[in-house]
Amino acid sequence: MTDAFRDFEHAGWTDPTVCASYDDLLSGLTTQSIAPLLDAAQVARGSVVLDAACGAGYAAGAALARGAEVVGIDFSAEQVRLAARRYPAASFVEADAGSLPFEAEHFDAIVSNYGVLHFPEPPQFFREAFRVLKPGGWLAFTVWEVPQQARLFGAVLEAIATLGSLEVGLPAGPAMFQFADASTSEKALAEAGFADCMVTRLPQSWRAASGEQILLAVKTGTVRTRGTLQRQRAEVLDAIDDAILDALELCRAEGGYEVPMPAVLVAARKP
């Protein structure tokens, strides 16, 4: 299961068009979490920081701005290329989060902004993060709130489930929203050796200029959602589009949409 899921995610996130669409349409949302993420990991001037699943380097760049020494890793060569071009003062490496190419007790802090939900084996990442953190160092990561709260996901998943099918043959992976549950996060991190786990809700919203932008974002700037939509029967695709926008009608605001997309921030310390 894990190899197939990893290969599916990897193929998506190495596609330059997906990376560019995510950067253009969704980074304005996901970067809202970065300041609290770095605060939770106690990133400050002089900190040695790892940004795991760094994408195009958003969190790494923010850590650099705080005066930290930063290394970013991503399994996508395209994302590493984009990050290195954007933030040349950091070091970026193509690597898997489940097998970190660093010596033990190297980092003061590890952050991952919406990376954990893409990992085929999150517990392996937690163990690796524990290994390469210095004693007293912090791991902090963000994930999405459950679809009932993160309304873009709720609208898309409900439309597909009602009019099409969520079972379209994609490789099975870990439950996408599992770490939105505080007890699940606390248990997983404790099993990896961490202490003092803290789980915080982050209110956020996604500003979209139009319904067309919403549909373009989910169809071109994601991997699992895009893959699920691409595998729907052709005759239901327009109805799914309409249902997504109908569900988000209450999110209409002046000049577009203001879609609630809260996140969950999890942080824990290596004793």
Side-chain angles (χ1 to χ4, degrees):
M1 176 189 80
T2 56
D3 286 348
F5 177 78
R6 189 260 184 208
D7 291 346
F8 173 76
E9 285 273 336
H10 184 258
W13 290 113
T14 51
D15 184 335
T17 60
V18 173
C19 296
S21 182
Y22 179 95
D23 185 56
D24 184 42
L25 299 172
L26 292 169
S27 64
L29 167 62
T30 58
T31 52
Q32 294 175 37
S33 313
I34 289 175
L37 176 73
L38 298 183
D39 289 345
Q42 300 187 10
V43 173
R45 181 168 299 279
S47 299
V48 181
V49 179
L50 173 65
D51 180 8
C54 63
Y58 314 111
L64 282 174
R66 295 189 178 200
E69 177 186 326
V70 185
V71 178
I73 65 132
D74 202 286
F75 71 169
S76 163
E78 175 66 11
Q79 295 282 46
V80 167
R81 184 186 69 81
L82 293 172
R85 185 177 66 187
R86 186 170 290 177
Y87 303 107
S91 173
F92 295 97
V93 180
E94 185 180 347
D96 273 355
S99 181
L100 297 174
F102 307 105
E103 62 188 22
E105 300 185 1
H106 182 75
F107 294 100
D108 298 303
I110 299 175
V111 297
S112 187
N113 198 37
Y114 305 104
V116 170
L117 55 91
H118 299 291
F119 298 158
E121 296 182 272
Q124 178 62 20
F125 166 65
F126 298 148
R127 289 190 293 270
E128 278 288 271
F130 188 89
R131 179 182 66 81
V132 302
L133 269 175
K134 297 175 184 177
W138 285 84
L139 165 68
F141 64 89
T142 48
V143 293
W144 296 113
E145 249 293 15
V146 295
Q148 293 87 340
Q149 305 296 324
R151 286 304 302 145
L152 178 63
F153 289 119
V156 172
L157 294 173
E158 183 179 351
I160 295 173
T162 302
L163 298 165
S165 175
L166 292 168
E167 302 301 323
V168 290
L170 295 186
M176 184 172 172
F177 301 99
Q178 62 177 318
F179 296 112
D181 177 71
S183 61
T184 299
S185 291
E186 291 162 358
K187 181 174 184 290
L189 290 168
E191 288 176 349
F194 287 95
D196 302 330
C197 182
M198 298 181 293
V199 180
T200 307
R201 262 61 190 178
L202 301 178
Q204 303 178 149
S205 62
W206 180 44
R207 182 76 182 180
S210 65
E212 289 75 16
Q213 182 180 331
I214 291 172
L215 297 175
L216 185 64
V218 298
K219 291 177 180 179
T220 66
T222 65
V223 172
R224 266 188 272 187
T225 304
R226 180 187 67 150
T228 303
L229 286 167
Q230 286 175 336
R231 289 162 175 79
Q232 301 303 311
R233 291 177 291 115
E235 59 266 28
V236 302
L237 290 175
D238 288 344
I240 288 173
D241 287 354
D242 291 342
I244 292 169
L245 297 184
D246 286 347
L248 296 176
E249 186 63 29
L250 292 176
C251 303
R252 277 193 177 273
E254 185 176 353
Y257 292 76
E258 197 78 34
V259 182
M261 283 294 289
V264 177
L265 169 61
V266 182
R269 182 180 59 84
K270 178 175 178 175

